[in-house]
Amino acid sequence: MIIEFLLEHYSFLTHTLEFLAAFTGLFLIKKYNAKAAKYFIYFLVVIAISDSLCYYTHYVRPGMALEFLIGTRFAKNHWFSTLYWDVGAILFFTYFFYLILKTPVFKKVIKFSGYFYFVFSTIYILSNWEKFFVQFFEILDVFGAIIIFMCTVFYFIEILLSEEILEFYRSIYFYISAVIFIWWLIITPLGFYDVYYTYEVGKNFFDTAFADLRRQIFLFANIFMYLTYTFAFIWCKPENEL
C-alpha cells in the first residue's frame, strides 16, 4: 500500500522535495557567503523548476492542452532532460568543485574534464540528433558519473589531508559531495536499462514493471538527496567560519 501510494504521487513528492531544499537554501542564503555555496542554492532552484517543466509531457496526450505536440520532436522530454541534467548538471558540478578545491592539480584536471565533456556531449548529441528527442544517452550518463565520482573523490582526499577533517560534519560542501556521490552511484546503473523505459504518446510504458521499479529507485534516491540538502542548509556552519 505504501509503495503504491508513493508511486501514485511520485511527481508531487519529488517536486515538493526539490522545492523544499531550494527554498530552504534561499531562505538561509545570507548564512552562506561563499560563492560556491550560493551557486549551489541557485542550481537547486534551476533544477526544481526544470524538473517541473519536464512534466509538460503529461499534457501531450489526445484531448489535453499540448495535444498539438503529438508527432513532433518535442512530444517527449528526453531532449530537455538531457540538456539540463545530463549536460548542464555535470558542467555545473565541475565548476562547483573547481571553486571549492584548493589543490592546483585537482583543479586543472577538473577544468580540463569539464571542457572535454562539454565538447564531447555537444558533438555526440549533434551526431545523434534524431535519437536526442526520443531516448536518453547511456554514454553521457556513464561519462557524467565518472566526472562526478572524480570530483567528489578529489574533495574527500583534500578533506582527509587537511585540518577541516576535524569539523567536516559541519561543512555544507561535505554533504553536497557525499550525497551526489551516493545518488549517482545508485542511479547510474539504471541508464543501462533505459531501453525498457519507453512508451508511445498517450499510452503506458512498454514495460510497466521496470517503469515502476525505476520510479521507486529514483523516488527514494531523491528523498535521501533533497532531505539531506535541506538538513545540511539548516545544520551546517558558513564556510568562512570553519
Side-chain angles (χ1 to χ4, degrees):
M1 291 293 293
I2 296 178
I3 298 299
E4 293 177 0
F5 173 83
L6 292 175
L7 289 176
E8 183 178 353
H9 299 88
Y10 170 81
S11 296
F12 173 77
L13 291 171
T14 299
H15 299 325
T16 299
L17 291 170
E18 289 174 339
F19 280 104
L20 174 64
F23 287 151
T24 302
L26 287 175
F27 182 75
L28 298 172
I29 196 169
K30 291 184 179 179
K31 175 181 176 182
Y32 298 98
N33 295 320
K35 182 166 63 174
K38 288 188 175 182
Y39 283 171
F40 180 73
I41 293 171
Y42 299 145
F43 169 75
L44 289 183
V45 174
V46 171
I47 291 300
I49 294 174
S50 297
D51 271 355
S52 297
L53 292 177
C54 243
Y55 195 63
Y56 81 87
T57 53
H58 178 75
Y59 300 97
V60 185
R61 300 179 182 180
M64 302 196 77
L66 300 180
E67 179 183 4
F68 64 90
L69 290 179
I70 296 177
T72 70
R73 288 176 171 174
F74 305 102
K76 298 182 180 181
N77 60 21
H78 297 78
W79 64 278
F80 188 52
S81 179
T82 297
L83 285 179
Y84 80 82
W85 188 253
D86 290 346
V87 178
I90 300 300
L91 294 178
F92 167 79
F93 279 116
T94 57
Y95 180 63
F96 173 82
F97 282 99
Y98 179 81
L99 290 178
I100 68 174
L101 291 175
K102 301 178 178 63
T103 306
V105 174
F106 290 169
K107 292 173 73 74
K108 288 181 181 179
V109 172
I110 288 177
K111 184 177 181 180
F112 172 79
S113 299
Y115 282 127
F116 183 79
Y117 183 77
F118 174 73
V119 173
F120 174 82
S121 59
T122 300
I123 294 175
Y124 190 83
I125 289 173
L126 293 176
S127 301
N128 297 271
W129 186 244
E130 293 303 323
K131 294 180 180 179
F132 174 58
F133 295 94
V134 296
Q135 70 177 57
F136 299 112
F137 293 133
E138 176 186 316
I139 190 170
L140 296 186
D141 291 336
V142 175
F143 195 180
I146 292 173
I147 291 178
I148 292 296
F149 296 150
M150 178 185 67
C151 290
T152 53
V153 168
F154 284 170
Y155 171 78
F156 294 141
I157 291 174
E158 279 199 356
I159 287 293
L160 289 172
L161 298 177
S162 71
E163 293 182 358
E164 293 180 14
I165 187 65
L166 299 176
E167 292 194 62
F168 72 93
Y169 58 91
R170 298 303 300 272
S171 170
I172 187 69
Y173 298 150
F174 169 77
Y175 290 97
I176 293 172
S177 302
V179 167
I180 64 169
F181 179 88
I182 295 172
W183 191 92
W184 250 282
L185 190 64
I186 294 172
I187 296 303
T188 300
L190 293 177
F192 294 102
Y193 302 97
D194 274 339
V195 64
Y196 300 107
Y197 193 69
T198 55
Y199 70 97
E200 291 183 8
V201 176
K203 297 181 181 180
N204 208 339
F205 290 95
F206 294 150
D207 191 332
T208 56
F210 175 76
D212 288 343
L213 176 62
R214 187 179 186 275
R215 280 197 292 265
Q216 289 180 48
I217 295 174
F218 263 94
L219 179 60
F220 288 116
N222 287 337
I223 289 174
F224 162 74
M225 178 165 65
Y226 291 111
L227 286 184
T228 302
Y229 287 157
T230 302
F231 163 78
F233 285 134
I234 299 171
W235 163 256
C236 294
K237 291 181 179 180
E239 287 302 312
N240 58 353
E241 292 184 9
L242 292 174

